[in-house]
Amino acid sequence: MADGGGEPDQLAGERATAQFDVDGMKVAWAGSRHAVEVADRMARLVASDPVFRKDTRTMLSRKELFKDTLKKAAHAWKRIVELRLTEEEANLLRLYVDQPGYVDLHWGMFVPAIKGQGTEEQQKKWLPMAYKFQIIGCYAQTELGHGSNVQGLETTATFDPSADEFVMHSPTLTSSKWWPGGLGKASTHAVVYARLITEGKDYGIHGFIVQLRSLDDHSPLPGVTLGDIGGKFGSGAYNSMDNGVLRFDHVRIPRDQMLMRLSQVTREGKYVHSDVPKQLLYGTMVYVRQTIVADASKALSRAVCIAVRYSAIRKQFGSQDGGPETQVLNYKTQQSRLFPLLASAYAYRFVGQWLKWLYTDVTQKLEAKDYSTLPEAHACTAGLKSVTTSATADAIEECRKLCGGHGYLNSSGLPELFAVYVPACTYEGDNVQVARFLMKTVAQVATGKQPVGTIAYMGNIQHLMQCKSAVNTAEDWLNPAAIKEVFEARALRMAVNCAQNISKAPSQEEGFSELSPDLLEAAVAHVQLIIVTKFIEKLQEDIPGPGVKEQLQKLCSIYALHLLHKHLGDFLSTGCITARQGALANELLGKLYAQVRPNAVALVDAFDYTDHYLGSVLGRYDGDVYPALYEEAWKDPLNETVVPDGYQEHLRPLLKQQLKLSRL
Ligand SMILES: CCC/C=C/C(=O)SCCNC(=O)CCNC(=O)[C@H](O)C(C)(C)COP(=O)([O-])OP(=O)([O-])OC[C@H]1O[C@@H](n2cnc3c(N)ncnc32)[C@H](O)[C@@H]1OP(=O)([O-])[O-]
Ligand SMILES: Cc1cc2nc3c(=O)[nH]c(=O)nc-3n(C[C@H](O)[C@H](O)[C@H](O)COP(=O)(O)OP(=O)(O)OC[C@H]3O[C@@H](n4cnc5c(N)ncnc54)[C@H](O)[C@@H]3O)c2cc1C
C-alpha cells in the first residue's frame, strides 16, 4: 500500500525478485480477504486526513502532545459517527491513528470490565453511556505500593447499610491509585478495584464503578484528588497518555455500583458469592493480555518492515574499483539478525489469531457456565503476553541497531516505536502463573490424568522423556514433526526437572521460591512450543496464492530453528538433541536465509502498512530514503534559525574570550 506520492520506486528491483503472490500473503497475514480490504480502507482514511498527521509529534511539548491526542481522539470519534463505521472498522481506524490515549483504556479495559463483571442490569445502565462517549472510563487497579500483587491493594470500599452506599477511601499514601491510563486528565469514571468491607469483615478485592469528574465542567468531584503522574520514557511516545494518580477521601457511591456478577452485597450488607469462579475478577486482564499478543506482532512487523526496506536501500563496502557497493541486506550477519525477527512477526501474528479464537471459545463456554478451560486460557494469555512482549521490545531495539546511525534519529520511527512499546513488558504481569499451571499439570499426569489443549503433549510423557531426535542431515530439520518433537521434549523435561527439584524442598512454597528462575525458563520453553506448534498448524490449513505456503514454511523453520540455536543449552542439557544435530540446524538456517533474501521486501510489503502508519523515513514504501532524511532534518525547531537561541548569552562571550586569549 504505497502512499509515497509518486516518487520513483527504488525498491522495484527487490519486489521483482519475489517468488510468491504478495496479495495472497496479505490475506494470510490479515486472516481473510475481507480483513485486508477493511484494514486497507481504514489505513488510507487515516493517512489522507491532515488531523492525523504525526510527523512532528516527537517535537511537541507534553502539553501540546496531550492536546493533540485529545484532538485526534475527538476527530476519530467524529469520523466514526459520520461514516457510521462498524466496530471492526472503528477499531482499525483507532489503530492506524497510532497515538496512545484515553480511548485505549475506555474501549480496551473499562468497557470489557463492565461487560465481564457487571450484571445484566448494570450493563444495560452503563454500557450505552460508554458506547456513546457520554462518559469516559478507565481501569484503576494498580496502586503506588502494589502492582503485581493485586491481593495487596489497600483502597477500601466499606458498606454503610444506613445509607445503602459504599464509602471509597484511600487510607495511606501507598493506596493512591497510580498508573491507570486516561485517569490523569480525561476520564469521568473508573472501574476501581478496592477491598470490600461489610459487616466488619474484609472480603478482598472487588470492582466498583466510581464517578470521578463532573459531567458539567470536568472538575474532580468532592473528596476525589486527581492528577497526571508525570513524564515518561522517550520523546512523544507514551507521553500522549495521561497515566494518573487518584485518591479518595471517604467518597460515597450507591451500592449498585459494585460490579455484582461474581458476588453481591445485599441491602442489609450480607456478602453473597455466586457460583462464578472468583478468578473471573481477573477476566479483564485475560482479555487485555490476548490483545497485547496481537499488538506484539503489529509492533514487531513495523520495526522489521522499516529495517528490511532500509537494509535493501543502504549500501556499504564491497567494491574495490569504484563500482557499486553492497546492499547491507546481502550481508549474512544482517540476514541472521533480521530474518528471525521477520519470521517472529509472522509467528506472533498466527499465535495471536489463535489466541483470539481461544479467548472467544472460553468466553462462550463461560456464558454456558463451563469454567473448565479458564486455567488454560489464563496460563496461555499470561505466558504468551510475557514472551512475545519481551522478545518484541528486544527486536525493535535490534532493528534500530540494524539501521545503523540513521536508526537513532526520531525520523526513523524506531526510537518512538521502542519507547511506546517497551512498557508492554511491564503492564499486565509476568510468567510465574504459567509455571504454576505447568507444575500442576505434571502432578496430574503422574496420577494418570490426560491433559488436553496446549498441554496435551505432556500426556505423551513416556516417549518424550526418553526420545532422541532422529535428525541426520540439515534438511531433516525441515520436517515439522522433527521440530515439534524436540520442542515438546525440551519443554516437558524442563518442567519435570523443576517438579522433581521442588519435591525435594522442605515445602512446596519454598521449592517454588528457590526454583523460580528455573520455573521461568520452563515456562518460556512451554510458551515457545505453543508458538511453534500454532505456526505448524497454520501451515496445515489451505493457504491460497502461488508460493505463499512455501514462504511461510521457510519462515516457520527459521522461527523454530533460530530458537533452537539461541537456547541450544536447554536442548543439549535435557538431552533432546546432540551437538551435531544443533550444528545441522544452524547449517540449515544459513540456507534458509539465502532463500528468504529475494523475498524479504515482498514479505514486509505483505503487512500492507501505509507510510503514515510506519512513520519512518527509512521504511518508506518507495525507498526514497535520502531526500526524505534530508528534508526531515530541516523540520526540527533547532533549524528554525540559522544562529541558535543562546548564541548571544553563551556562545559569543566564550568565543570572544578565546579570541582575547589567543591575542595574548
Ligand atoms: C494498554 C495497557 C493498559 C494496562 C493496564 C494494566 O496494566 S491493568 C493492571 C494489570 N495488573 C496486572 O497485570 C497484575 C499482575 N498480577 C497478576 O496477574 C497476579 O499474579 C495475580 C493477580 C494473578 C495474582 O493473583 P492472586 O494472588 O489472587 O492469585 P494466585 O497467584 O494465588 O492465583 C490464584 C488462582 O487464580 C488463578 N488465576 C490467576 N489469575 C487468573 C486469571 N487471570 N484468570 C484465571 N485464573 C487466574 C491462578 O492460576 C490460581 O489458580 P489455582 O492455582 O488456585 O488453581
Ligand atoms: C505504561 C503503563 C500503563 C499502565 N496502565 C495501567 C492501567 O491502565 N491500569 C492499572 O491499574 N495499571 C496500569 N499499569 C500498571 C501495571 O499494571 C503495573 O506496573 C504492573 O502490573 C507491574 O506492577 P508494579 O509496577 O507494581 O511492579 P512490581 O510488582 O513492583 O515489580 C517490580 C519487579 O518485581 C518483580 N516481581 C514482582 N512480584 C514478583 C513475584 N511474585 N515473583 C518474582 N518477581 C516479582 C517484577 O517481575 C519486577 O521485576 C500501567 C503501567 C505502565 C508502565
Side-chain angles (χ1 to χ4, degrees):
M1 185 195 300
D3 61 354
E7 298 291 341
D9 185 349
Q10 310 251 3
L11 293 170
E14 290 288 335
R15 294 188 169 112
T17 60
Q19 295 154 315
F20 68 97
D21 173 35
V22 178
D23 280 339
M25 190 63 86
K26 282 183 186 173
V27 174
W29 173 264
S32 67
R33 170 96 26 224
H34 164 81
V36 177
E37 183 276 316
V38 183
D40 196 82
R41 203 157 30 82
M42 290 304 113
R44 284 174 188 277
L45 188 70
V46 172
S48 61
D49 191 327
V51 177
F52 295 133
R53 275 189 67 172
K54 56 179 186 173
D55 48 339
T56 54
R57 183 164 65 188
T58 54
M59 296 165 205
L60 301 180
S61 70
R62 177 91 202 279
K63 273 181 148 181
E64 290 166 334
L65 180 62
F66 184 67
K67 201 168 168 193
D68 181 63
T69 309
L70 295 185
K71 183 168 108 181
K72 282 179 176 156
H75 187 64
W77 181 242
K78 186 167 163 266
R79 298 302 283 146
I80 288 167
V81 174
E82 278 169 359
L83 300 170
R84 295 168 184 260
L85 298 186
T86 61
E87 194 180 333
E88 181 192 24
E89 290 168 331
N91 287 340
L92 281 162
L93 183 126
R94 277 191 286 271
L95 166 80
Y96 290 121
V97 169
D98 186 40
Q99 191 149 309
Y102 67 89
V103 279
D104 303 345
L105 280 303
H106 177 81
W107 294 113
M109 295 205 81
F110 181 69
V111 168
I114 296 174
K115 273 188 181 169
Q117 290 155 50
T119 59
E120 261 180 46
E121 213 174 302
Q122 289 175 318
Q123 296 187 31
K124 265 193 206 141
K125 175 176 172 185
W126 294 98
L127 291 179
M129 289 189 277
Y131 288 152
K132 287 185 222 142
F133 261 130
Q134 288 164 340
I135 58 173
I136 297 173
C138 65
Y139 184 88
Q141 181 176 297
T142 307
E143 295 175 357
L144 190 54
H146 289 106
S148 304
N149 179 9
V150 180
Q151 295 301 330
L153 299 178
E154 298 173 77
T155 304
T156 50
T158 309
F159 185 60
D160 172 4
S162 67
D164 198 20
E165 287 172 341
F166 284 103
V167 182
M168 308 297 296
H169 188 58
S170 313
T172 58
L173 178 69
T174 47
S175 70
S176 309
K177 292 293 171 190
W178 189 270
W179 269 118
L183 171 69
K185 297 289 164 187
S187 292
T188 60
H189 289 68
V191 167
V192 173
Y193 288 84
R195 319 195 72 79
L196 188 163
I197 298 166
T198 184
E199 297 183 316
K201 192 171 167 201
D202 182 338
Y203 285 93
I205 303 304
H206 290 73
F208 300 83
I209 301 178
V210 186
Q211 182 171 352
L212 306 173
R213 291 184 165 94
S214 154
L215 291 175
D216 294 324
D217 63 5
H218 210 62
S219 58
L221 294 187
V224 177
T225 303
L226 285 164
D228 183 276
I229 60 168
K232 291 159 295 229
F233 188 81
S235 45
Y238 216 82
N239 286 300
S240 53
M241 183 70 88
D242 52 330
N243 293 96
V245 47
L246 160 67
R247 287 180 64 77
F248 294 115
D249 182 5
H250 300 95
V251 172
R252 289 180 168 265
I253 58 166
R255 179 172 55 94
D256 68 5
Q257 286 181 210
M258 167 184 166
L259 289 170
M260 295 221 198
R261 181 171 169 208
L262 282 69
S263 40
Q264 303 88 39
V265 168
T266 65
R267 176 67 189 87
E268 298 71 36
K270 287 260 161 307
Y271 181 82
V272 185
H273 189 71
S274 67
D275 57 351
V276 177
K278 65 179 185 350
Q279 285 90 342
L280 274 193
L281 177 71
Y282 303 141
T284 314
M285 292 192 275
V286 174
Y287 166 75
V288 176
R289 286 171 190 158
Q290 167 256 139
T291 63
I292 292 175
V293 174
D295 289 347
S297 76
K298 285 175 201 138
L300 177 51
S301 55
R302 280 170 78 172
V304 166
C305 183
I306 295 167
V308 166
R309 286 186 184 157
Y310 177 65
S311 298
I313 292 292
R314 186 67 168 176
K315 295 185 179 125
Q316 294 286 329
F317 301 103
S319 168
Q320 307 293 333
D321 53 5
E325 291 183 296
T326 305
Q327 291 166 285
V328 295
L329 194 54
N330 287 341
Y331 289 112
K332 295 287 173 193
T333 46
Q334 192 85 350
Q335 293 174 12
S336 68
R337 290 164 68 192
L338 190 46
F339 292 166
L341 308 184
L342 174 62
S344 303
Y346 276 92
Y348 296 174
R349 180 77 187 181
F350 298 140
V351 83
Q353 287 168 353
W354 167 78
L355 198 58
K356 191 174 170 192
W357 168 84
L358 182 80
Y359 182 78
T360 312
D361 183 61
V362 170
T363 312
Q364 282 163 359
K365 287 195 170 109
L366 291 180
E367 273 158 20
K369 296 199 184 289
D370 170 1
Y371 307 117
S372 59
T373 49
L374 191 59
E376 191 199 9
H378 161 52
C380 283
T381 45
L384 281 164
K385 182 265 156 190
S386 176
V387 167
T388 57
T389 52
S390 37
T392 296
D394 290 349
I396 298 170
E397 168 60 1
E398 184 70 356
C399 287
R400 182 193 69 74
K401 292 186 214 155
L402 288 164
C403 291
H406 301 335
Y408 190 62
L409 278 171
N410 280 340
S411 60
S412 78
L414 292 166
E416 201 190 17
L417 185 59
F418 180 73
V420 169
Y421 191 74
V422 83
C425 303
T426 303
Y427 51 65
E428 293 292 344
D430 58 25
N431 238 329
V432 179
Q433 296 278 326
V434 189
R436 284 193 186 270
F437 177 66
L438 290 181
M439 292 306 100
K440 265 193 186 171
T441 311
V442 171
Q444 284 168 355
V445 167
T447 65
K449 193 173 169 202
Q450 191 60 31
V452 293
T454 47
I455 39 166
Y457 71 98
M458 290 191 161
N460 195 12
I461 190 161
Q462 305 291 357
H463 171 72
L464 291 175
M465 288 304 287
Q466 302 158 15
C467 63
K468 301 247 174 277
S469 171
V471 163
N472 198 31
T473 66
E475 276 65 28
D476 285 348
W477 279 120
L478 288 173
N479 178 1
I483 298 256
K484 220 169 145 211
E485 183 186 56
V486 296
F487 271 80
E488 286 181 350
R490 165 204 181 212
L492 183 67
R493 290 176 198 189
M494 288 172 80
V496 169
N497 278 348
C498 285
Q500 284 169 345
N501 289 334
I502 288 173
S503 69
K504 290 179 203 148
S507 72
Q508 207 194 27
E509 267 324 295
E510 273 178 82
F512 256 97
S513 163
E514 209 44 49
L515 285 157
S516 52
D518 298 357
L519 283 163
L520 203 65
E521 285 176 15
V524 169
H526 170 70
V527 173
Q528 288 174 343
L529 165 66
I530 297 178
I531 304 174
V532 168
T533 307
K534 295 302 156 195
F535 206 155
I536 291 173
E537 284 174 9
K538 175 81 192 171
L539 295 172
Q540 284 153 5
E541 291 174 15
D542 175 35
I543 302 178
V548 174
K549 192 179 251 192
E550 288 73 7
Q551 289 304 315
L552 290 176
Q553 277 163 339
K554 291 186 209 313
L555 291 175
C556 181
S557 299
I558 290 178
Y559 179 70
L561 295 178
H562 104 277
L563 285 180
L564 189 146
H565 183 62
K566 191 169 163 192
H567 298 276
L568 199 56
D570 286 356
F571 287 93
L572 292 176
S573 66
T574 49
C576 298
I577 63 168
T578 61
R580 184 175 163 270
Q581 288 168 328
L584 290 173
N586 210 27
E587 185 187 321
L588 180 63
L589 267 177
K591 292 181 187 168
L592 289 168
Y593 295 151
Q595 291 169 25
V596 164
R597 168 65 190 92
N599 298 289
V601 168
L603 281 167
V604 299
D605 285 350
F607 303 146
D608 207 16
Y609 293 148
T610 57
D611 283 351
H612 172 275
Y613 183 57
L614 270 188
S616 166
V617 293
L618 303 187
R620 292 168 62 99
Y621 182 87
D622 64 12
D624 208 15
V625 167
Y626 295 120
L629 265 172
Y630 192 78
E631 197 183 308
E632 210 57 33
W634 297 108
K635 289 187 191 161
D636 196 281
L638 211 53
N639 283 329
E640 277 167 13
T641 56
V642 180
V643 176
D645 291 352
Y647 166 75
Q648 292 296 346
E649 305 97 290
H650 306 298
L651 273 184
R652 193 161 196 276
L654 197 72
L655 293 166
K656 289 292 172 204
Q657 172 204 288
Q658 279 174 357
L659 201 64
K660 277 185 213 145
L661 286 175
S662 69
R663 281 189 187 141
L664 282 178

